[in-house]
Amino acid sequence: MKETLARNIGRYRKERGFTQEELAQKLGLSFQAVSKWENAQSMPDIALLPALSQTLQVSIEKLLGYLSYDKPVTVYEEKYRTPEYIWGTEPNEACFRVLQLMPPTRHVKLLDIGCGEGKDAVFFARNGYDVTAFDITDAGIEKTKRLAEQAGVNVNVLKADVLDFRLDSHFDVLFSSGVLHYIKPEMRDEIFGNYKRFTRPNGLHVLNAFVHKPFIAPPPENETNAFLWRSGELPGHYDDWYLYESSEVVFDCNSSGVPHQHAMTKLIARNMAV
């Protein structure tokens, strides 16, 4: 817990735009105390947690690393409660590019960021990858487990928020489809820095992100916690990696029962570090 709390204090402090000195002043402490918290050398006294929580504008539960929400953070929590798989059970076409570029001829660890109902995570597990997947929806997690059980494979499924989840062990492949727009723009540098640091040499990132286009109307779901990317923004995080693909597409969608369109950046990048 100490390491998680240390990481979260630093993360939410930076998100609020405070220096260590400014946070310390607001709490009536020395900046050395805040520095020790963020370096996991000590922990705040329990009596300080309410003031720390209020100052950083985050619940004590989230500060300590536990998910706690007063309302659903995505419309898909309710959508996934239906018996059928709303996205189907066939894998995303990008899954086949992973098979081509990094076939599981050896032990390959893969992370599915925001796995939804689990169709891609289960596909990878069926093909021999060591799969970890996370999603923020309880219904999606249960569907992923059910689909994996039906396929007779193992997927390590976690509940996590893409804003809070950070890697602390290395993976060979990071895969994500239709999720990255939930990452706030001001947090993208830090989050993608973490993703890249914990990707093994020769590892792959296979990702897509919804992008803003002035000629495309906002989607009917109108999620207040969704933030479209700018054209060119996602590949900008990979100027030091080899890019197999960096393209944009516009496609039709009927996910809410209302016909609409999306624009999306697709990216496949390899870590060429040795």
Side-chain angles (χ1 to χ4, degrees):
M1 178 182 288
K2 183 185 289 187
E3 289 76 14
T4 298
L5 180 58
R7 191 162 56 242
N8 286 343
I9 291 173
R11 181 182 311 152
Y12 294 123
R13 172 181 63 77
K14 293 172 185 175
E15 191 174 335
R16 299 278 76 79
F18 299 147
T19 64
Q20 289 184 342
E21 291 83 355
E22 288 170 336
L23 178 58
Q25 288 175 1
K26 291 177 180 295
L27 298 172
L29 303 168
S30 67
F31 81 90
Q32 290 92 340
V34 175
S35 177
K36 288 181 179 180
W37 294 347
E38 294 188 8
N39 287 299
Q41 295 175 352
S42 66
M43 295 177 66
D45 186 278
I46 192 170
L48 273 174
L49 288 180
L52 182 60
S53 168
Q54 183 176 20
T55 302
L56 296 179
Q57 300 177 34
V58 61
S59 69
I60 293 175
E61 290 84 358
K62 286 195 75 173
L63 199 59
L64 295 174
Y66 301 107
L67 288 175
S68 178
Y69 303 101
D70 296 328
K71 58 182 179 180
V73 297
T74 171
V75 297
Y76 293 104
E77 179 63 68
E78 188 61 32
K79 288 178 180 288
Y80 290 162
R81 294 191 186 281
T82 59
E84 66 273 10
Y85 282 73
I86 68 169
W87 305 119
T89 56
E90 294 300 312
N92 186 309
E93 63 180 18
C95 297
F96 297 99
R97 291 290 282 144
V98 176
L99 278 175
Q100 293 173 339
L101 295 171
M102 190 170 287
T105 54
R106 58 175 178 82
H107 181 243
V108 178
K109 287 185 63 181
L110 182 146
L111 175 68
D112 188 344
I113 300 168
C115 64
E117 298 170 298
K119 63 183 181 64
D120 296 331
V122 171
F123 171 82
F124 287 123
R126 289 178 61 190
N127 280 276
Y129 293 87
D130 178 358
V131 181
T132 298
F134 74 83
D135 201 83
I136 198 169
T137 63
D138 291 308
I141 290 169
E142 289 307 310
K143 277 187 165 179
T144 299
K145 291 178 179 178
R146 189 185 318 145
L147 195 62
E149 184 178 356
Q150 291 170 356
V153 296
N154 178 66
V155 175
N156 178 28
V157 192
L158 313 170
K159 178 172 181 175
D161 186 335
V162 70
L163 294 178
D164 296 326
F165 184 88
R166 298 296 183 278
L167 296 176
D168 56 13
S169 63
H170 286 80
F171 284 83
D172 299 289
V173 181
L174 266 63
F175 180 91
S176 183
S177 181
V179 174
L180 300 182
H181 59 296
Y182 291 114
I183 301 178
K184 297 177 181 178
E186 64 270 22
M187 299 179 71
R188 290 171 183 168
D189 282 343
E190 188 263 325
I191 288 176
F192 276 82
N194 170 261
Y195 290 170
K196 291 169 68 178
R197 281 195 305 276
F198 285 96
T199 301
R200 291 191 177 113
N202 206 43
L204 287 176
H205 285 190
V206 180
L207 314 169
N208 62 48
F210 293 114
V211 294
H212 171 72
K213 293 292 183 183
F215 53 84
I216 295 180
E221 292 88 357
N222 193 29
E223 294 186 273
T224 58
N225 58 331
F227 307 89
L228 295 179
W229 290 62
R230 301 186 310 274
S231 291
E233 183 181 0
L234 182 59
H237 288 280
Y238 292 89
D239 57 359
D240 55 342
W241 284 32
Y242 180 82
L243 296 184
Y244 288 100
E245 179 181 345
S246 176
S247 62
E248 286 192 359
V249 296
V250 175
F251 61 94
D252 296 322
C253 185
N254 195 38
S255 61
S256 61
V258 179
H260 58 283
Q261 288 188 317
H262 292 290
M264 176 175 279
T265 290
K266 296 183 176 183
L267 178 137
I268 302 176
R270 187 182 293 275
N271 180 11
M272 301 303 290
V274 295

